[in-house]
Amino acid sequence: GRQGCQIDFEHVSFSYEGASGEPVLKNINLTCLPGETIGIIGSTGSGKSSLVNLIPRFYDVSSGSIRVDGVDTQELDPAKLRDRIAIVPQKSILFSGTIEENLLWGNEHASREEIMQAANMAEAHSFIAAFPEGYETMLGQRGVNLSGGQKQRLSIARALIRKPDVLILDDCTSALDTTTETNIKESLKSFASGVTCLLIAQRITSVMDADKIVVMDDGEIVGIGTHEALMKSCRVYVEIFQS
Ligand code: DUT
């Protein structure tokens, strides 16, 4: 399997181009160790998506630096950097084509067996297999309509097929029931052991068992720790827990 990356944020600030006012991210300091699962939680607009989108350089930092395995990402070829990172976005991006074509987007060399293995881990294989045409089922205007949760599971499978070193799940389990979510996380633990995983979530239950949880508030990290530690020390975390 692949080796996870270490990711270091050092004094990172970030504003979207042309935006005035307060930066979206302010003095972010965070180390993600290889193979760690890091939960990220915080209210809407607190900067969670912005934070993870800086890692593959979808945007560049305004100041400070992000290092992947010790190398400043500004010095890396963005294409090579992105090859190691899979982001599952909040809103699934599927196109008109078969399920298999959709799953292969990003790694067209995967075998049917690898596709099925990833689909299994993402809890997608059984609903795919239940279609008369299975993996050849057409999606889109002329094809079947999938539920929000089914789309999310396909997006997760697509990311796993790429065998990334860094897996980022950006609030992409919100449409899943907790059993499905738990099953996927269990599979990730075995398959993705060694993969550095960042998991943005709305629900505390989604991140409770992470190695560490990052609490974001208004562009700042206001807490980093385990669930138990944050329950004792982080007011914002306790507020999210109680809401
Ligand atoms: N923002 C922009 N331009 C963008 C994206 C976001 O100006 O293209 C602003 C909106 C918000 C801040 O940046 O004020 C942080 O947004 P982000 O999406 O990073 O926050 P979040 O914590 O991921 O919010 P949510 O939970 O709603 O996804």
Side-chain angles (χ1 to χ4, degrees):
R2 283 203 157 182
Q3 274 285 295
C5 296
Q6 175 159 340
I7 304 165
D8 294 288
F9 286 74
E10 267 183 20
H11 304 298
V12 169
S13 294
F14 173 67
S15 301
Y16 286 97
E17 218 171 279
S20 54
E22 287 276 283
V24 164
L25 296 171
K26 296 169 249 184
N27 193 30
I28 301 295
N29 292 288
L30 174 66
T31 292
C32 313
L33 295 174
E36 249 183 353
T37 294
I38 290 124
I40 305 176
I41 207 148
S43 59
T44 172
S46 59
K48 305 180 297 294
S49 296
S50 304
L51 179 94
V52 298
N53 284 336
L54 293 177
I55 301 170
R57 283 184 59 191
F58 291 158
Y59 301 96
D60 283 322
V61 300
S62 307
S63 63
S65 65
I66 300 173
R67 282 180 286 131
V68 169
D69 288 340
V71 183
D72 191 328
T73 54
Q74 295 296 318
E75 285 157 22
L76 292 171
D77 172 8
K80 282 193 184 134
L81 176 67
R82 286 169 201 158
D83 189 48
R84 307 180 67 187
I85 301 168
I87 292 200
V88 184
Q90 262 171 47
K91 222 181 152 303
S92 314
I93 304 160
L94 300 172
F95 53 82
S96 284
T98 67
I99 288 179
E100 179 169 270
E101 284 163 354
N102 269 276
L103 291 174
L104 285 173
W105 190 66
N107 177 9
E108 65 260 43
H109 302 299
S111 67
R112 179 53 76 86
E113 195 182 321
E114 289 170 312
I115 295 170
M116 279 173 42
Q117 193 187 26
N120 237 326
M121 289 187 293
E123 296 274 300
H125 176 73
S126 33
F127 82 76
I128 297 169
F131 291 125
E133 295 178 271
Y135 285 80
E136 306 302 329
T137 303
M138 283 293 291
L139 301 182
Q141 283 187 333
R142 296 178 181 193
V144 298
N145 271 317
L146 299 177
S147 72
Q150 287 173 328
K151 288 180 189 165
Q152 287 188 331
R153 286 179 271 170
L154 288 187
S155 307
I156 295 169
R158 174 195 271 165
L160 296 177
I161 288 168
R162 292 185 52 208
K163 297 191 164 58
D165 295 326
V166 180
L167 176 65
I168 300 172
L169 303 177
D170 185 354
D171 195 12
C172 61
T173 56
S174 53
L176 304 179
D177 60 81
T178 45
T179 313
T180 305
E181 187 187 32
T182 306
N183 290 344
I184 294 174
K185 285 200 298 181
E186 281 304 312
S187 317
L188 286 180
K189 255 185 218 161
S190 48
F191 158 83
S193 77
V195 174
T196 308
C197 184
L198 285 86
L199 176 69
I200 297 180
Q202 300 286 334
R203 305 180 283 228
I204 291 233
T205 50
S206 305
V207 294
M208 243 164 100
D209 53 355
D211 295 310
K212 62 191 179 214
I213 303 162
V214 173
V215 188
M216 302 280 304
D217 187 31
D218 199 18
E220 291 179 286
I221 294 179
V222 294
I224 302 179
T226 60
H227 172 72
E228 290 71 27
L230 291 167
M231 285 302 285
K232 286 186 201 131
S233 65
C234 183
R235 180 185 52 80
V236 176
Y237 189 79
V238 174
E239 279 169 13
I240 298 169
F241 184 76
Q242 288 167 343
S243 66

